[in-house]
Amino acid sequence: MSLTRRELVEAGLSLGVALVAAPALGEAVAPLPLTPENELGPFYKKGAPTSANLIVPGEAGLPLVVSGKVLDPTGKPLSGAVVEVWHADGKGIYDLEGYRYRSRLVAAADGSYRFQTLMPGHYPERVAQHIHYRVSAPGRRVFVTQLYFATDPAFAGDPDHNFSKDPLVLDRRLVRPVTLEDSGGPRAAVTFDTVLGT
Amino acid sequence: MSDAGAVAPVRIEAPGPVRGIAVVDGGKRVTARLAGPRLVSWSCADGRLLTDVTYRGPAVTAGALSAAGDRLAVGTGDGGVRVLDASTLAVVAEMRRAPSPRGAFAFSADGALLAGFAQDSHLELMVWKVDTGAPLVSFVDRAQEAGGIAFHPTGRSAAIAVLTGDVLLLDLASGRPTRTLSDGRMASEALAFSPDGSALVAASFDAVLLAWDTGRWGVRRLEGLRGANGLALSPDGARAAVSRTSYNPPDTPAEARLVDLATGRVLASQQLGLASTSAAAFVGPGRARVAAARGTSIALWEIR
């Protein structure tokens, strides 16, 4: 069978359409779901120090390590993204005049970030313990959210059903599992990846 | 610095828990908002009850009282925005074309303009002319969350505090921002122009008063003034009265201060006990009336 030029062009166009529809030789990758946004709240403060250790010496509380990656929906790491975090101390009090429990982190080449702190207390006007996030990456809208903890007593051991006891927790996915370890004392660890849209 | 504590406060018992409070009508009256909403006013001079009215319309999402105390703006869940006579709660005007339910309102100092912020967390502002209900301007910035608004006394511009600590100046003729004041590190609890328009002051959560002169927009930074959910400026813009409530932690005593904006000197201070809401208004160049409430208890002081 021979093809006319027109048929060749049409075949090529069809092939092109097929390639577009199935990139990477048929391995279509579903985009990662965007991380839900959550409000900024009144206690964001510019100019936090760049420190991966937020623990204030002498303050009591459960040590907590939070780590994760900043990604785009294709899974590409957003290297250099600025991750600002802030939270209340163990008594539920925010440091407004200084920078205790506030940090400005920069995502590594693989999009990763990590910080250690103490588990936040319950701020009196909120139900759930939380850490605020404000993530800035070049060319993208600033992303704002909050991280919650599945072990929070406010969720009574069942965050699937109880996450909305805090009316500001609008999405169950923001409540992250907590790994409790005992390595020379109790310690909690949480992983929280953030997937940013454009 | 003088402590005005020697002057006995006027104490008032409200008929229900106070949700918000305002010192209105040049400091002559104090008005409390209760559940309902129910609006109750007393004389500041002797605590005498003046009015007690309850709104019977659709469920209210937000409300605000004019500085004169004669108008109440209410927003309802269906996006409706009404301006009511504060003494009767009769509808005076319906504001038109509210795109979504409003979460906060503010009147201009003369009561001629009304601003309403959307309930959503992003900045979506609409400004109406109160007498006709006609929309004057709208402004949306989905990258920002709104903290508050103050109208310039001319009604030609407004300042919007956003939660990153910036203050946006908005031209009300074009609806466009003309300047961003980035001097603040934290969101403002309160924002006000002086009655003569010469000063704009923001009281931010990090215990800083930022005072701009509105000619050159130079800023004076006054540190160590913790919290100020009540803020009023003297007629000439030379002094500020600030009052803070009990929060973070909630057992922190509330406090009011009279501050010289040129020097940052605290001219007078007054402990207010524990308070969940407070308000301030100048009653003369060097005198301010301060109200604070917790539960059903209201107390009024004068600081000078």
Side-chain angles (χ1 to χ4, degrees):
Chain A
M1 185 181 73
S2 65
L3 297 173
T4 66
R5 185 176 180 279
R6 184 176 62 82
E7 287 168 328
L8 275 172
V9 170
E10 286 177 353
L13 285 174
S14 299
L15 186 63
V17 169
L19 284 171
V20 169
L25 300 174
E27 291 182 23
V29 178
L32 297 172
L34 301 181
T35 303
E37 299 193 45
N38 209 184
E39 67 181 46
L40 186 70
F43 295 148
Y44 167 73
K45 188 171 184 178
K46 293 176 190 170
T50 301
S51 170
N53 184 3
L54 281 65
I55 295 175
V56 177
E59 291 211 354
L62 176 65
L64 168 68
V65 174
V66 181
S67 58
K69 289 188 173 184
V70 185
L71 305 167
D72 79 2
T74 70
K76 179 185 158 199
L78 294 177
S79 167
V82 173
V83 181
E84 293 174 278
V85 294
W86 65 103
H87 65 82
D89 67 13
K91 296 174 183 169
I93 300 169
Y94 284 89
D95 182 11
L96 305 183
E97 296 175 42
Y99 285 96
R100 289 164 57 243
Y101 302 107
R102 297 175 183 271
S103 186
R104 182 180 185 275
L105 309 158
V106 178
D110 63 353
S112 65
Y113 72 92
R114 181 181 187 278
F115 64 95
Q116 52 185 325
T117 185
L118 297 178
M119 182 65 81
H122 288 88
Y123 179 66
E125 294 181 17
R126 287 291 304 274
V127 175
Q129 300 162 297
H130 56 281
I131 295 177
H132 292 270
Y133 276 66
R134 185 176 188 268
V135 185
S136 318
R140 291 172 194 276
R141 192 165 63 88
V142 173
F143 170 75
V144 174
T145 195
Q146 297 180 37
L147 159 65
Y148 302 92
F149 306 94
T151 52
D152 190 330
F155 300 139
D158 190 355
D160 286 342
H161 288 100
N162 295 329
F163 73 92
S164 59
K165 282 189 172 179
D166 185 331
L168 292 186
V169 186
L170 301 176
D171 195 305
R172 165 66 178 86
R173 289 173 291 171
L174 295 176
V175 185
R176 303 297 301 159
V178 178
T179 303
L180 293 170
E181 303 169 353
D182 194 346
S183 52
R187 193 181 81 154
V190 171
T191 302
F192 186 49
D193 292 343
T194 57
V195 179
L196 278 61
T198 52
Chain B
M1 184 178 79
S2 69
D3 190 335
V7 180
V10 174
R11 296 196 181 275
I12 296 167
E13 194 63 16
V18 175
R19 295 186 170 185
I21 199 163
V23 180
V24 298
D25 194 14
K28 294 188 186 74
R29 287 184 289 145
V30 60
T31 299
R33 182 173 57 82
L34 281 54
R38 181 177 178 184
L39 215 58
V40 189
S41 288
W42 299 266
S43 161
C44 286
D46 55 11
R48 179 170 44 94
L49 178 67
L50 299 174
T51 59
D52 183 351
V53 286
T54 302
Y55 182 61
R56 302 294 182 194
V60 169
T61 56
L65 199 63
S66 65
D70 59 342
R71 294 287 183 263
L72 175 71
V74 293
T76 50
D78 58 358
V81 178
R82 295 173 182 85
V83 172
L84 314 174
D85 182 309
S87 60
T88 63
L89 298 191
V91 175
V92 173
E94 298 255 3
M95 304 298 106
R96 299 202 296 272
R97 295 212 313 262
S100 59
R102 305 283 98 180
F105 292 104
F107 281 97
S108 58
D110 63 1
L113 301 175
L114 175 68
F117 286 108
Q119 243 179 344
D120 292 343
S121 56
H122 67 272
L123 198 177
E124 183 195 309
L125 170 73
M126 183 159 257
V127 177
W128 294 270
K129 296 179 76 169
V130 170
D131 58 350
T132 62
L136 177 67
V137 72
S138 63
F139 176 66
V140 178
D141 184 343
R142 293 190 178 277
Q144 300 282 6
E145 294 180 40
I149 186 170
F151 287 98
H152 190 275
T154 60
R156 291 198 289 267
S157 63
I160 302 168
V162 296
L163 295 190
T164 58
D166 290 347
V167 174
L168 314 178
L169 297 179
L170 187 70
D171 176 63
L172 292 179
S174 65
R176 291 185 177 173
T178 55
R179 187 184 289 265
T180 299
L181 304 171
S182 299
D183 306 289
R185 289 182 300 229
M186 285 194 84
S188 296
E189 288 188 86
L191 187 69
F193 279 100
S194 60
D196 68 356
S198 65
L200 171 67
V201 173
S204 67
F205 279 101
D206 57 347
V208 175
L209 274 191
L210 293 167
W212 292 273
D213 75 78
T214 57
R216 300 171 56 207
W217 293 107
V219 67
R220 186 175 298 276
R221 191 180 184 86
L222 310 178
E223 309 264 355
L225 294 163
R226 286 202 69 192
N229 79 312
L231 170 66
L233 302 188
S234 63
D236 61 359
R239 294 176 177 185
V242 296
S243 61
R244 65 156 288 148
T245 54
S246 305
Y247 74 94
N248 194 54
D251 57 357
T252 305
E255 183 182 37
R257 287 179 175 178
L258 191 64
V259 182
D260 184 307
L261 290 175
T263 63
R265 196 159 67 93
V266 176
L267 304 170
S269 66
Q270 175 65 58
Q271 294 293 313
L272 308 178
L274 295 178
S276 57
T277 180
S278 73
F282 271 84
V283 292
R287 294 188 301 139
R289 189 92 69 190
V290 176
R294 180 182 172 87
T296 60
S297 299
I298 300 170
L300 294 162
W301 287 266
E302 187 174 299
I303 56 173
R304 61 174 77 196

